[in-house]
């Protein structure tokens, strides 16, 4: 009698296939999760260091970035509170060097145009802020930061321009920017009074050391000075300042 092969039940065959699939999946998981040696290709490094804070405190609130510049490869960032009435400057890659600004304690208000930097043999940044209304009519303060050999410092003595304009420019072309202060020429009147505010204006120039280089002749308005509001002065235009200038 001819016999035929015994036929495997369909349910048993399905069970065997499922078992094989499960076994193969388990093997794949083991291979994927197996620890790889350092530097193994395709495995990005994981940093366990805490992330740097994204916000800083300015006064009683969070800082906002008002302006940023790069000076000879060094980043300089001006931060302030929401009103511009408190600020600080960060110099260099974080954590870098920070300077809390003194001029805001004198009533100066910062804005997006408050930061001005010039690179040179000695670099400098001037932070300015208006007082008495925000339009410069009441004058402006300027705080000078000086960088040399990779080290930055605050000059320590703020400048005041009763005509509301301060700027940086290399006046004597020595590779170092100078500070230009625009003020009213009113030796017989008190700065800030109506009589003084109606007087002609001039530009007074200081080296980064604080040494006075001289003054320009007077003009009717700050806008009559070259480059205003970032005033530029040539050394040939300077003469000795009047007493009290």
């Amino acid at each position: 009698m001819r016999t035929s092969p015994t036929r495997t039940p369909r349910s048993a065959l399905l069970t065997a296939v499922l078992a094989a699939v499960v076994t193969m999946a388990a093997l794949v998981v083991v291979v994927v999760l197996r620890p790889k040696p350092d530097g193994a290709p395709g495995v990005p490094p994981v940093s366990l260091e805490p992330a740097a804070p994204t916000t800083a405190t300015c006064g009683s609130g969070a800082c906002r970035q008002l302006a940023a510049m790069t000076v000879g490869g060094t980043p300089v960032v001006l931060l302030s509170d929401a009103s511009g009435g408190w600020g600080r400057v960060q110099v260099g890659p974080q954590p870098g060097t920070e300077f809390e600004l003194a001029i805001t304690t004198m009533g100066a208000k910062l804005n997006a145009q408050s930061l001005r930097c010039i690179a040179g043999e000695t670099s400098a940044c001037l932070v300015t802020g208006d007082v008495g209304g925000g339009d410069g009519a009441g004058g402006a303060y300027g705080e000078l930061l000086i960088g040399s050999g990779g080290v930055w410092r605050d000059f320590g003595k703020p400048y005041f321009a009763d005509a509301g304009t301060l700027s940086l420019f290399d006046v004597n072309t020595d590779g170092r920017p100078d500070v230009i202060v625009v003020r009213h020429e009113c030796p017989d009147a008190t700065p800030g009074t109506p009589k003084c505010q109606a007087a002609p204006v001039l530009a007074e120039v200081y080296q980064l050391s604080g040494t006075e280089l001289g003054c320009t002749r007077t003009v009717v308005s700050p806008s009559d000075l070259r480059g205003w509001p970032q005033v530029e002065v040539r050394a040939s235009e300077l003469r000795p300042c009047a007493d009290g200038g």
Side-chain angles (χ1 to χ4, degrees):
M1 177 184 294
R2 187 175 64 178
T3 61
S4 60
T6 305
R7 201 169 188 181
T8 304
R10 181 176 298 178
S11 58
L13 182 60
L14 180 61
T15 301
V17 170
L18 289 176
V21 170
V22 171
T23 301
M24 183 62 68
L27 290 174
V28 170
V29 171
V30 169
V31 170
V32 170
L33 296 182
R34 180 185 299 167
K36 294 188 179 182
D38 293 341
V43 181
V46 178
S47 174
L48 300 180
E49 297 179 0
T54 57
T55 60
T57 301
C58 289
S60 58
C63 290
R64 59 172 179 150
Q65 179 177 307
L66 277 184
M69 300 185 72
T70 299
V71 188
T74 300
V76 179
V77 179
L78 174 62
L79 304 172
S80 82
D81 62 0
S83 68
W86 194 101
R88 69 172 166 215
V89 176
Q90 295 177 340
V91 180
Q94 291 305 299
T97 303
E98 290 193 354
F99 299 92
E100 290 193 11
L101 297 172
I103 59 174
T104 52
T105 66
M106 302 173 183
K109 292 289 186 179
L110 306 174
N111 57 52
Q113 287 73 50
S114 288
L115 181 65
R116 169 73 170 169
C117 300
I118 295 181
E121 292 183 15
T122 300
S123 300
C125 290
L126 183 67
V127 182
T128 60
D130 294 333
V131 294
D135 56 0
Y141 281 106
E143 191 159 344
L144 181 65
L145 304 177
I146 303 171
S148 180
V151 178
W152 285 78
R153 62 183 178 86
D154 192 315
F155 177 66
K157 179 182 178 181
Y159 288 94
F160 179 72
D162 71 341
T165 299
L166 301 103
S167 60
L168 283 178
F169 186 73
D170 187 358
V171 175
N172 57 357
T173 62
D174 64 351
R176 300 175 179 86
D178 304 294
V179 181
I180 301 174
V181 178
V182 179
R183 62 174 177 80
H184 292 275
E185 176 71 338
C186 50
D188 300 325
T190 303
T193 62
K195 182 178 179 180
C196 189
Q197 291 295 322
V201 300
L202 54 77
E204 188 169 5
V205 181
Y206 296 88
Q207 293 179 306
L208 295 182
S209 63
T211 301
E212 183 185 86
L213 284 179
C215 292
T216 65
R217 296 185 180 278
T218 58
V219 294
V220 174
S221 168
S223 60
D224 294 328
L225 295 167
R226 184 188 308 107
W228 182 87
Q230 295 299 330
V231 173
E232 301 175 359
V233 175
R234 296 191 181 100
S236 60
E237 298 173 321
L238 297 179
R239 59 191 179 91
C241 298
D243 292 342

